[in-house]
Amino acid sequence: TRAGHDGAFQRLERGEVDLWSFYEAFSDQLSDPRNIAAYAKYAELRSKVFDEKSFRAPKVDGRALFHQMMSKAAVVNPCMVEAIAALRKAGYTVAALTNNFNYPSDERGQLEQELILKNTADSFLTTTTTSGGGKRSGAIVMGQDQLKTLFDYFIESAILGLRKPDPAIYKKSGEIVGFRPEEIVFLDDIGANLKAAQNEGWTTIRVVLGKPRQAIEQLESTLGVTLLTPESRL
């Protein structure tokens, strides 16, 4: 966040740098000793105990951290997939507006994506016991190509060269889907992204991390439709 508009992650999501250049820049940015002062301010605002004077900035491997982040991001909640399918079946247009990046199309880039997805399946795919004693998947692992098939439109920051919460990406998205601002309901988990959408005149719903059903229920109330089966609400 301290890096602002020109941070490594921000540039990656606008499609301005390739993945390999990003890894190097991300490592340097995360290992910058100036982050200590930024974190000290963050800790103070949240009443966290942090000894700024004795703390030494760690050397952070940007690629390793990025792999962990993308492994989390590749886990899709089944109830959200169910809700998207129900919306489309009911005649609604469903679009994804995502801050994303693209893997390089060469063999090395594809191997990088496969490695992240494999680590996801090994580490984060969970199972839960059903009432009948069987097993069901508590999560779904999807690559970008598979995820795109869920939506009528998949609007990508890396393609547009814009990223949330830049007001321009909301205006452009409205043009792409062909709906007026008052016809759009937008779900996101980040306050700044929601505020920017509200400024554009969109109706917004916050998705609290770990509680997607709450957001879906609010969407059901907003639209007056049922999106989840009784079993999915358990």
Side-chain angles (χ1 to χ4, degrees), residues 167-227:
I169 198 171
Y170 298 91
K171 294 182 183 297
K172 185 64 177 179
S173 298
E175 294 171 3
I176 291 171
V177 300
F179 286 93
R180 299 189 302 273
E182 63 269 22
E183 297 175 309
I184 299 174
V185 181
F186 177 67
L187 288 77
D188 203 286
D189 64 312
I190 297 177
N193 296 345
L194 294 165
K195 184 177 180 180
Q198 291 167 4
N199 291 340
E200 187 62 23
W202 296 7
T203 298
T204 61
I205 295 174
R206 182 162 190 170
V207 184
V208 178
L209 290 179
K211 299 180 179 180
R213 288 177 182 82
Q214 290 183 1
I216 294 171
E217 289 170 356
Q218 188 175 346
L219 181 60
E220 289 178 321
S221 178
T222 300
L223 300 178
V225 297
T226 300
L227 302 175

Short mmCIF file of all heavy atoms in Angstrom, two decimals, residues 167-227:
data_model
loop_
_atom_site.label_atom_id
_atom_site.label_comp_id
_atom_site.label_asym_id
_atom_site.label_seq_id
_atom_site.Cartn_x
_atom_site.Cartn_y
_atom_site.Cartn_z
N PRO A 167 -11.47 5.34 -10.69
CA PRO A 167 -12.83 5.58 -11.20
C PRO A 167 -12.99 5.21 -12.67
O PRO A 167 -14.08 4.81 -13.10
CB PRO A 167 -13.02 7.09 -10.99
CG PRO A 167 -12.10 7.45 -9.87
CD PRO A 167 -10.91 6.55 -10.04
N ALA A 168 -11.91 5.32 -13.44
CA ALA A 168 -12.00 5.05 -14.87
C ALA A 168 -12.38 3.61 -15.18
O ALA A 168 -13.06 3.34 -16.18
CB ALA A 168 -10.67 5.40 -15.55
N ILE A 169 -11.98 2.66 -14.32
CA ILE A 169 -12.29 1.26 -14.62
C ILE A 169 -13.76 0.97 -14.39
O ILE A 169 -14.35 0.11 -15.07
CB ILE A 169 -11.39 0.30 -13.80
CG1 ILE A 169 -11.42 -1.10 -14.43
CG2 ILE A 169 -11.83 0.23 -12.33
CD1 ILE A 169 -10.41 -2.06 -13.85
N TYR A 170 -14.40 1.70 -13.49
CA TYR A 170 -15.84 1.52 -13.28
C TYR A 170 -16.63 2.08 -14.46
O TYR A 170 -17.59 1.46 -14.93
CB TYR A 170 -16.27 2.18 -11.97
CG TYR A 170 -15.60 1.59 -10.75
CD1 TYR A 170 -14.40 2.10 -10.28
CD2 TYR A 170 -16.14 0.49 -10.09
CE1 TYR A 170 -13.77 1.56 -9.18
CE2 TYR A 170 -15.53 -0.06 -8.98
CZ TYR A 170 -14.33 0.49 -8.53
OH TYR A 170 -13.71 -0.06 -7.43
N LYS A 171 -16.23 3.23 -14.93
CA LYS A 171 -16.89 3.83 -16.10
C LYS A 171 -16.74 2.91 -17.31
O LYS A 171 -17.70 2.67 -18.05
CB LYS A 171 -16.30 5.21 -16.40
CG LYS A 171 -16.56 6.25 -15.32
CD LYS A 171 -15.99 7.59 -15.71
CE LYS A 171 -16.18 8.63 -14.61
NZ LYS A 171 -17.62 8.90 -14.36
N LYS A 172 -15.53 2.39 -17.51
CA LYS A 172 -15.27 1.51 -18.65
C LYS A 172 -16.07 0.22 -18.53
O LYS A 172 -16.62 -0.29 -19.52
CB LYS A 172 -13.78 1.20 -18.74
CG LYS A 172 -13.38 0.39 -19.96
CD LYS A 172 -13.63 1.17 -21.25
CE LYS A 172 -13.16 0.41 -22.47
NZ LYS A 172 -13.41 1.16 -23.73
N SER A 173 -16.17 -0.32 -17.33
CA SER A 173 -16.92 -1.56 -17.11
C SER A 173 -18.40 -1.37 -17.43
O SER A 173 -19.04 -2.24 -18.02
CB SER A 173 -16.75 -2.04 -15.67
OG SER A 173 -15.40 -2.31 -15.39
N GLY A 174 -18.95 -0.23 -17.02
CA GLY A 174 -20.34 0.06 -17.33
C GLY A 174 -20.59 0.10 -18.82
O GLY A 174 -21.61 -0.39 -19.33
N GLU A 175 -19.62 0.66 -19.56
CA GLU A 175 -19.73 0.70 -21.01
C GLU A 175 -19.67 -0.70 -21.62
O GLU A 175 -20.41 -1.02 -22.56
CB GLU A 175 -18.61 1.57 -21.59
CG GLU A 175 -18.70 3.04 -21.22
CD GLU A 175 -17.46 3.81 -21.63
OE1 GLU A 175 -16.56 3.21 -22.26
OE2 GLU A 175 -17.37 5.02 -21.31
N ILE A 176 -18.80 -1.53 -21.07
CA ILE A 176 -18.63 -2.89 -21.60
C ILE A 176 -19.90 -3.71 -21.43
O ILE A 176 -20.35 -4.39 -22.37
CB ILE A 176 -17.43 -3.58 -20.93
CG1 ILE A 176 -16.12 -2.93 -21.38
CG2 ILE A 176 -17.41 -5.07 -21.25
CD1 ILE A 176 -14.90 -3.40 -20.62
N VAL A 177 -20.50 -3.67 -20.25
CA VAL A 177 -21.69 -4.49 -19.99
C VAL A 177 -22.95 -3.85 -20.54
O VAL A 177 -23.97 -4.52 -20.73
CB VAL A 177 -21.86 -4.80 -18.49
CG1 VAL A 177 -20.66 -5.55 -17.95
CG2 VAL A 177 -22.09 -3.52 -17.68
N GLY A 178 -22.90 -2.54 -20.79
CA GLY A 178 -24.04 -1.87 -21.40
C GLY A 178 -25.20 -1.60 -20.47
O GLY A 178 -26.36 -1.58 -20.89
N PHE A 179 -24.89 -1.36 -19.17
CA PHE A 179 -25.94 -1.06 -18.19
C PHE A 179 -25.71 0.30 -17.56
O PHE A 179 -24.58 0.75 -17.42
CB PHE A 179 -25.97 -2.14 -17.10
CG PHE A 179 -26.55 -3.44 -17.56
CD1 PHE A 179 -25.74 -4.46 -18.05
CD2 PHE A 179 -27.92 -3.67 -17.49
CE1 PHE A 179 -26.27 -5.66 -18.47
CE2 PHE A 179 -28.46 -4.87 -17.91
CZ PHE A 179 -27.65 -5.87 -18.41
N ARG A 180 -26.79 0.95 -17.17
CA ARG A 180 -26.69 2.22 -16.46
C ARG A 180 -26.23 1.96 -15.02
O ARG A 180 -26.45 0.87 -14.48
CB ARG A 180 -28.04 2.93 -16.45
CG ARG A 180 -28.57 3.28 -17.84
CD ARG A 180 -29.81 4.17 -17.74
NE ARG A 180 -30.88 3.53 -16.98
CZ ARG A 180 -31.78 2.71 -17.47
NH1 ARG A 180 -31.75 2.39 -18.77
NH2 ARG A 180 -32.73 2.18 -16.71
N PRO A 181 -25.61 2.94 -14.38
CA PRO A 181 -25.11 2.75 -13.02
C PRO A 181 -26.16 2.24 -12.04
O PRO A 181 -25.88 1.37 -11.20
CB PRO A 181 -24.63 4.15 -12.63
CG PRO A 181 -24.23 4.77 -13.93
CD PRO A 181 -25.22 4.26 -14.93
N GLU A 182 -27.39 2.75 -12.14
CA GLU A 182 -28.45 2.34 -11.21
C GLU A 182 -28.92 0.91 -11.45
O GLU A 182 -29.67 0.36 -10.64
CB GLU A 182 -29.63 3.31 -11.28
CG GLU A 182 -30.32 3.36 -12.63
CD GLU A 182 -29.74 4.42 -13.57
OE1 GLU A 182 -28.57 4.82 -13.36
OE2 GLU A 182 -30.46 4.84 -14.50
N GLU A 183 -28.47 0.28 -12.53
CA GLU A 183 -28.85 -1.10 -12.83
C GLU A 183 -27.79 -2.10 -12.37
O GLU A 183 -27.96 -3.31 -12.55
CB GLU A 183 -29.06 -1.27 -14.33
CG GLU A 183 -30.20 -0.44 -14.90
CD GLU A 183 -30.30 -0.54 -16.40
OE1 GLU A 183 -29.29 -0.34 -17.09
OE2 GLU A 183 -31.42 -0.83 -16.90
N ILE A 184 -26.71 -1.62 -11.79
CA ILE A 184 -25.58 -2.48 -11.44
C ILE A 184 -25.49 -2.69 -9.93
O ILE A 184 -25.57 -1.73 -9.15
CB ILE A 184 -24.26 -1.87 -11.95
CG1 ILE A 184 -24.29 -1.75 -13.48
CG2 ILE A 184 -23.06 -2.70 -11.50
CD1 ILE A 184 -23.10 -1.02 -14.07
N VAL A 185 -25.33 -3.95 -9.51
CA VAL A 185 -25.04 -4.29 -8.11
C VAL A 185 -23.63 -4.87 -8.07
O VAL A 185 -23.32 -5.81 -8.80
CB VAL A 185 -26.05 -5.32 -7.55
CG1 VAL A 185 -25.74 -5.62 -6.09
CG2 VAL A 185 -27.47 -4.81 -7.70
N PHE A 186 -22.80 -4.31 -7.22
CA PHE A 186 -21.37 -4.64 -7.19
C PHE A 186 -20.98 -5.22 -5.84
O PHE A 186 -21.26 -4.63 -4.80
CB PHE A 186 -20.57 -3.36 -7.47
CG PHE A 186 -19.08 -3.52 -7.40
CD1 PHE A 186 -18.39 -4.30 -8.32
CD2 PHE A 186 -18.34 -2.87 -6.41
CE1 PHE A 186 -17.02 -4.43 -8.26
CE2 PHE A 186 -16.96 -2.98 -6.34
CZ PHE A 186 -16.30 -3.77 -7.27
N LEU A 187 -20.34 -6.38 -5.86
CA LEU A 187 -19.85 -7.03 -4.64
C LEU A 187 -18.34 -7.00 -4.61
O LEU A 187 -17.69 -7.28 -5.63
CB LEU A 187 -20.33 -8.48 -4.56
CG LEU A 187 -21.81 -8.74 -4.26
CD1 LEU A 187 -22.67 -8.50 -5.50
CD2 LEU A 187 -22.01 -10.16 -3.75
N ASP A 188 -17.78 -6.65 -3.44
CA ASP A 188 -16.33 -6.61 -3.30
C ASP A 188 -16.01 -6.72 -1.81
O ASP A 188 -16.88 -6.47 -0.96
CB ASP A 188 -15.77 -5.31 -3.87
CG ASP A 188 -14.30 -5.41 -4.25
OD1 ASP A 188 -13.43 -5.44 -3.35
OD2 ASP A 188 -14.00 -5.46 -5.46
N ASP A 189 -14.77 -7.07 -1.50
CA ASP A 189 -14.38 -7.21 -0.09
C ASP A 189 -13.52 -6.05 0.40
O ASP A 189 -13.12 -6.03 1.56
CB ASP A 189 -13.63 -8.54 0.11
CG ASP A 189 -12.32 -8.59 -0.65
OD1 ASP A 189 -12.33 -8.25 -1.85
OD2 ASP A 189 -11.29 -8.98 -0.06
N ILE A 190 -13.23 -5.09 -0.48
CA ILE A 190 -12.33 -4.00 -0.11
C ILE A 190 -13.10 -2.68 -0.11
O ILE A 190 -13.75 -2.31 -1.10
CB ILE A 190 -11.14 -3.92 -1.09
CG1 ILE A 190 -10.32 -5.21 -0.99
CG2 ILE A 190 -10.27 -2.71 -0.79
CD1 ILE A 190 -9.17 -5.29 -1.95
N GLY A 191 -13.00 -1.96 1.01
CA GLY A 191 -13.77 -0.74 1.18
C GLY A 191 -13.52 0.31 0.11
O GLY A 191 -14.46 0.95 -0.38
N ALA A 192 -12.25 0.52 -0.28
CA ALA A 192 -11.93 1.54 -1.28
C ALA A 192 -12.58 1.22 -2.63
O ALA A 192 -13.04 2.11 -3.34
CB ALA A 192 -10.42 1.65 -1.44
N ASN A 193 -12.62 -0.07 -2.97
CA ASN A 193 -13.25 -0.49 -4.22
C ASN A 193 -14.75 -0.23 -4.20
O ASN A 193 -15.36 0.17 -5.20
CB ASN A 193 -12.99 -1.96 -4.50
CG ASN A 193 -11.52 -2.27 -4.71
OD1 ASN A 193 -10.71 -1.36 -4.93
ND2 ASN A 193 -11.16 -3.54 -4.64
N LEU A 194 -15.37 -0.49 -3.06
CA LEU A 194 -16.81 -0.27 -2.90
C LEU A 194 -17.14 1.22 -2.95
O LEU A 194 -18.12 1.63 -3.57
CB LEU A 194 -17.29 -0.89 -1.59
CG LEU A 194 -17.22 -2.42 -1.53
CD1 LEU A 194 -17.38 -2.88 -0.09
CD2 LEU A 194 -18.28 -3.05 -2.41
N LYS A 195 -16.33 2.03 -2.29
CA LYS A 195 -16.57 3.48 -2.27
C LYS A 195 -16.50 4.05 -3.68
O LYS A 195 -17.34 4.90 -4.06
CB LYS A 195 -15.57 4.18 -1.36
CG LYS A 195 -15.82 5.67 -1.21
CD LYS A 195 -14.84 6.31 -0.24
CE LYS A 195 -15.11 7.80 -0.10
NZ LYS A 195 -14.16 8.44 0.86
N ALA A 196 -15.52 3.62 -4.45
CA ALA A 196 -15.39 4.11 -5.83
C ALA A 196 -16.61 3.71 -6.66
O ALA A 196 -17.07 4.48 -7.50
CB ALA A 196 -14.11 3.55 -6.45
N ALA A 197 -17.13 2.49 -6.44
CA ALA A 197 -18.33 2.04 -7.15
C ALA A 197 -19.55 2.85 -6.75
O ALA A 197 -20.39 3.21 -7.59
CB ALA A 197 -18.56 0.56 -6.88
N GLN A 198 -19.65 3.17 -5.47
CA GLN A 198 -20.75 4.01 -4.99
C GLN A 198 -20.71 5.39 -5.63
O GLN A 198 -21.75 5.95 -6.00
CB GLN A 198 -20.68 4.13 -3.46
CG GLN A 198 -20.99 2.84 -2.71
CD GLN A 198 -20.61 2.92 -1.24
OE1 GLN A 198 -20.17 3.97 -0.76
NE2 GLN A 198 -20.74 1.80 -0.54
N ASN A 199 -19.51 5.93 -5.77
CA ASN A 199 -19.35 7.23 -6.40
C ASN A 199 -19.79 7.21 -7.87
O ASN A 199 -20.18 8.24 -8.41
CB ASN A 199 -17.89 7.70 -6.31
CG ASN A 199 -17.47 8.05 -4.90
OD1 ASN A 199 -18.30 8.30 -4.04
ND2 ASN A 199 -16.17 8.03 -4.65
N GLU A 200 -19.73 6.03 -8.47
CA GLU A 200 -20.18 5.87 -9.86
C GLU A 200 -21.69 5.68 -9.94
O GLU A 200 -22.27 5.70 -11.03
CB GLU A 200 -19.45 4.68 -10.50
CG GLU A 200 -19.68 4.47 -11.97
CD GLU A 200 -19.21 5.64 -12.83
OE1 GLU A 200 -18.34 6.41 -12.39
OE2 GLU A 200 -19.72 5.77 -13.96
N GLY A 201 -22.34 5.50 -8.76
CA GLY A 201 -23.78 5.33 -8.74
C GLY A 201 -24.22 3.89 -8.69
O GLY A 201 -25.41 3.58 -8.84
N TRP A 202 -23.27 2.96 -8.44
CA TRP A 202 -23.60 1.55 -8.34
C TRP A 202 -24.11 1.22 -6.94
O TRP A 202 -23.69 1.82 -5.95
CB TRP A 202 -22.38 0.68 -8.62
CG TRP A 202 -21.82 0.80 -10.01
CD1 TRP A 202 -22.20 1.67 -11.00
CD2 TRP A 202 -20.75 0.02 -10.55
NE1 TRP A 202 -21.45 1.48 -12.12
CE2 TRP A 202 -20.54 0.47 -11.88
CE3 TRP A 202 -19.96 -1.00 -10.06
CZ2 TRP A 202 -19.57 -0.07 -12.72
CZ3 TRP A 202 -18.98 -1.55 -10.89
CH2 TRP A 202 -18.80 -1.10 -12.20
N THR A 203 -25.01 0.25 -6.85
CA THR A 203 -25.39 -0.33 -5.57
C THR A 203 -24.28 -1.29 -5.15
O THR A 203 -23.77 -2.05 -5.98
CB THR A 203 -26.72 -1.10 -5.69
OG1 THR A 203 -27.75 -0.18 -6.06
CG2 THR A 203 -27.10 -1.78 -4.38
N THR A 204 -23.88 -1.27 -3.88
CA THR A 204 -22.75 -2.09 -3.45
C THR A 204 -23.12 -3.00 -2.28
O THR A 204 -23.98 -2.67 -1.47
CB THR A 204 -21.55 -1.22 -3.03
OG1 THR A 204 -21.92 -0.39 -1.93
CG2 THR A 204 -21.08 -0.35 -4.19
N ILE A 205 -22.43 -4.13 -2.24
CA ILE A 205 -22.56 -5.09 -1.13
C ILE A 205 -21.15 -5.52 -0.73
O ILE A 205 -20.37 -5.96 -1.58
CB ILE A 205 -23.38 -6.32 -1.55
CG1 ILE A 205 -24.84 -5.91 -1.85
CG2 ILE A 205 -23.34 -7.39 -0.46
CD1 ILE A 205 -25.68 -7.04 -2.41
N ARG A 206 -20.84 -5.39 0.54
CA ARG A 206 -19.51 -5.80 1.00
C ARG A 206 -19.51 -7.29 1.32
O ARG A 206 -20.38 -7.79 2.01
CB ARG A 206 -19.10 -5.01 2.24
CG ARG A 206 -17.70 -5.40 2.71
CD ARG A 206 -17.10 -4.38 3.63
NE ARG A 206 -15.67 -4.66 3.86
CZ ARG A 206 -14.84 -3.84 4.46
NH1 ARG A 206 -15.28 -2.67 4.93
NH2 ARG A 206 -13.57 -4.15 4.64
N VAL A 207 -18.49 -7.96 0.80
CA VAL A 207 -18.28 -9.39 1.09
C VAL A 207 -17.26 -9.48 2.21
O VAL A 207 -16.07 -9.21 2.01
CB VAL A 207 -17.79 -10.15 -0.15
CG1 VAL A 207 -17.68 -11.65 0.16
CG2 VAL A 207 -18.71 -9.92 -1.34
N VAL A 208 -17.70 -9.84 3.40
CA VAL A 208 -16.79 -10.00 4.53
C VAL A 208 -16.01 -11.30 4.33
O VAL A 208 -16.60 -12.35 4.04
CB VAL A 208 -17.56 -10.06 5.87
CG1 VAL A 208 -16.61 -10.27 7.03
CG2 VAL A 208 -18.36 -8.77 6.05
N LEU A 209 -14.70 -11.22 4.43
CA LEU A 209 -13.87 -12.40 4.19
C LEU A 209 -14.29 -13.55 5.09
O LEU A 209 -14.45 -13.38 6.31
CB LEU A 209 -12.40 -12.07 4.42
CG LEU A 209 -11.76 -11.13 3.39
CD1 LEU A 209 -10.31 -10.86 3.75
CD2 LEU A 209 -11.84 -11.73 2.00
N GLY A 210 -14.48 -14.71 4.48
CA GLY A 210 -14.89 -15.89 5.23
C GLY A 210 -16.39 -16.01 5.43
O GLY A 210 -16.86 -17.00 5.99
N LYS A 211 -17.15 -15.01 4.99
CA LYS A 211 -18.60 -15.02 5.18
C LYS A 211 -19.34 -14.68 3.89
O LYS A 211 -20.14 -13.73 3.84
CB LYS A 211 -18.99 -14.04 6.30
CG LYS A 211 -18.37 -14.38 7.64
CD LYS A 211 -18.78 -13.36 8.71
CE LYS A 211 -18.17 -13.71 10.07
NZ LYS A 211 -18.55 -12.74 11.12
N PRO A 212 -19.10 -15.44 2.81
CA PRO A 212 -19.74 -15.11 1.53
C PRO A 212 -21.25 -15.28 1.55
O PRO A 212 -21.96 -14.58 0.82
CB PRO A 212 -19.08 -16.07 0.55
CG PRO A 212 -18.67 -17.24 1.39
CD PRO A 212 -18.24 -16.64 2.71
N ARG A 213 -21.76 -16.19 2.39
CA ARG A 213 -23.21 -16.41 2.41
C ARG A 213 -23.96 -15.16 2.84
O ARG A 213 -25.06 -14.90 2.37
CB ARG A 213 -23.55 -17.59 3.33
CG ARG A 213 -23.16 -18.96 2.77
CD ARG A 213 -23.47 -20.07 3.76
NE ARG A 213 -23.06 -21.37 3.26
CZ ARG A 213 -21.81 -21.84 3.33
NH1 ARG A 213 -20.87 -21.08 3.89
NH2 ARG A 213 -21.50 -23.03 2.85
N GLN A 214 -23.38 -14.38 3.76
CA GLN A 214 -24.02 -13.14 4.19
C GLN A 214 -24.20 -12.19 3.01
O GLN A 214 -25.26 -11.56 2.86
CB GLN A 214 -23.19 -12.47 5.28
CG GLN A 214 -23.20 -13.19 6.62
CD GLN A 214 -22.42 -12.44 7.68
OE1 GLN A 214 -21.89 -11.35 7.43
NE2 GLN A 214 -22.35 -13.00 8.87
N ALA A 215 -23.18 -12.08 2.18
CA ALA A 215 -23.26 -11.21 1.02
C ALA A 215 -24.29 -11.72 0.02
O ALA A 215 -25.04 -10.94 -0.58
CB ALA A 215 -21.89 -11.09 0.36
N ILE A 216 -24.34 -13.05 -0.16
CA ILE A 216 -25.31 -13.63 -1.09
C ILE A 216 -26.73 -13.39 -0.59
O ILE A 216 -27.63 -13.07 -1.38
CB ILE A 216 -25.03 -15.13 -1.29
CG1 ILE A 216 -23.67 -15.33 -1.99
CG2 ILE A 216 -26.14 -15.79 -2.11
CD1 ILE A 216 -23.21 -16.76 -2.03
N GLU A 217 -26.93 -13.55 0.70
CA GLU A 217 -28.26 -13.30 1.26
C GLU A 217 -28.68 -11.85 1.09
O GLU A 217 -29.85 -11.54 0.82
CB GLU A 217 -28.28 -13.71 2.74
CG GLU A 217 -28.21 -15.21 2.94
CD GLU A 217 -27.99 -15.61 4.39
OE1 GLU A 217 -27.82 -14.70 5.24
OE2 GLU A 217 -27.97 -16.83 4.67
N GLN A 218 -27.72 -10.93 1.22
CA GLN A 218 -28.02 -9.52 1.01
C GLN A 218 -28.35 -9.27 -0.47
O GLN A 218 -29.25 -8.47 -0.79
CB GLN A 218 -26.83 -8.65 1.43
CG GLN A 218 -27.15 -7.15 1.43
CD GLN A 218 -26.00 -6.31 1.98
OE1 GLN A 218 -25.07 -6.84 2.61
NE2 GLN A 218 -26.05 -5.02 1.73
N LEU A 219 -27.65 -9.96 -1.35
CA LEU A 219 -27.93 -9.84 -2.78
C LEU A 219 -29.32 -10.39 -3.11
O LEU A 219 -30.07 -9.80 -3.91
CB LEU A 219 -26.86 -10.57 -3.59
CG LEU A 219 -27.01 -10.53 -5.11
CD1 LEU A 219 -26.96 -9.10 -5.63
CD2 LEU A 219 -25.91 -11.37 -5.78
N GLU A 220 -29.67 -11.51 -2.48
CA GLU A 220 -31.02 -12.07 -2.66
C GLU A 220 -32.09 -11.06 -2.27
O GLU A 220 -33.09 -10.88 -2.97
CB GLU A 220 -31.17 -13.35 -1.84
CG GLU A 220 -30.38 -14.54 -2.36
CD GLU A 220 -30.53 -15.76 -1.47
OE1 GLU A 220 -30.55 -15.59 -0.23
OE2 GLU A 220 -30.61 -16.88 -2.01
N SER A 221 -31.86 -10.41 -1.14
CA SER A 221 -32.81 -9.41 -0.66
C SER A 221 -32.90 -8.22 -1.60
O SER A 221 -33.99 -7.69 -1.87
CB SER A 221 -32.40 -8.94 0.74
OG SER A 221 -33.26 -7.95 1.22
N THR A 222 -31.76 -7.80 -2.13
CA THR A 222 -31.72 -6.66 -3.04
C THR A 222 -32.46 -6.94 -4.33
O THR A 222 -33.19 -6.08 -4.85
CB THR A 222 -30.26 -6.28 -3.35
OG1 THR A 222 -29.59 -5.95 -2.13
CG2 THR A 222 -30.18 -5.11 -4.31
N LEU A 223 -32.29 -8.17 -4.85
CA LEU A 223 -32.88 -8.52 -6.14
C LEU A 223 -34.25 -9.18 -6.03
O LEU A 223 -34.99 -9.25 -7.01
CB LEU A 223 -31.93 -9.46 -6.90
CG LEU A 223 -30.53 -8.93 -7.22
CD1 LEU A 223 -29.71 -9.99 -7.93
CD2 LEU A 223 -30.60 -7.66 -8.06
N GLY A 224 -34.56 -9.73 -4.85
CA GLY A 224 -35.82 -10.43 -4.68
C GLY A 224 -35.83 -11.80 -5.33
O GLY A 224 -36.85 -12.25 -5.84
N VAL A 225 -34.66 -12.49 -5.32
CA VAL A 225 -34.55 -13.82 -5.91
C VAL A 225 -33.89 -14.76 -4.91
O VAL A 225 -33.19 -14.32 -3.98
CB VAL A 225 -33.74 -13.81 -7.23
CG1 VAL A 225 -34.43 -12.97 -8.28
CG2 VAL A 225 -32.32 -13.31 -6.98
N THR A 226 -34.06 -16.07 -5.11
CA THR A 226 -33.40 -17.09 -4.30
C THR A 226 -32.22 -17.63 -5.08
O THR A 226 -32.36 -18.06 -6.23
CB THR A 226 -34.36 -18.24 -3.95
OG1 THR A 226 -35.47 -17.71 -3.21
CG2 THR A 226 -33.65 -19.30 -3.12
N LEU A 227 -31.04 -17.61 -4.46
CA LEU A 227 -29.82 -18.01 -5.17
C LEU A 227 -29.16 -19.26 -4.61
O LEU A 227 -28.34 -19.87 -5.29
CB LEU A 227 -28.80 -16.85 -5.14
CG LEU A 227 -29.29 -15.53 -5.75
CD1 LEU A 227 -28.25 -14.44 -5.54
CD2 LEU A 227 -29.59 -15.70 -7.23
#
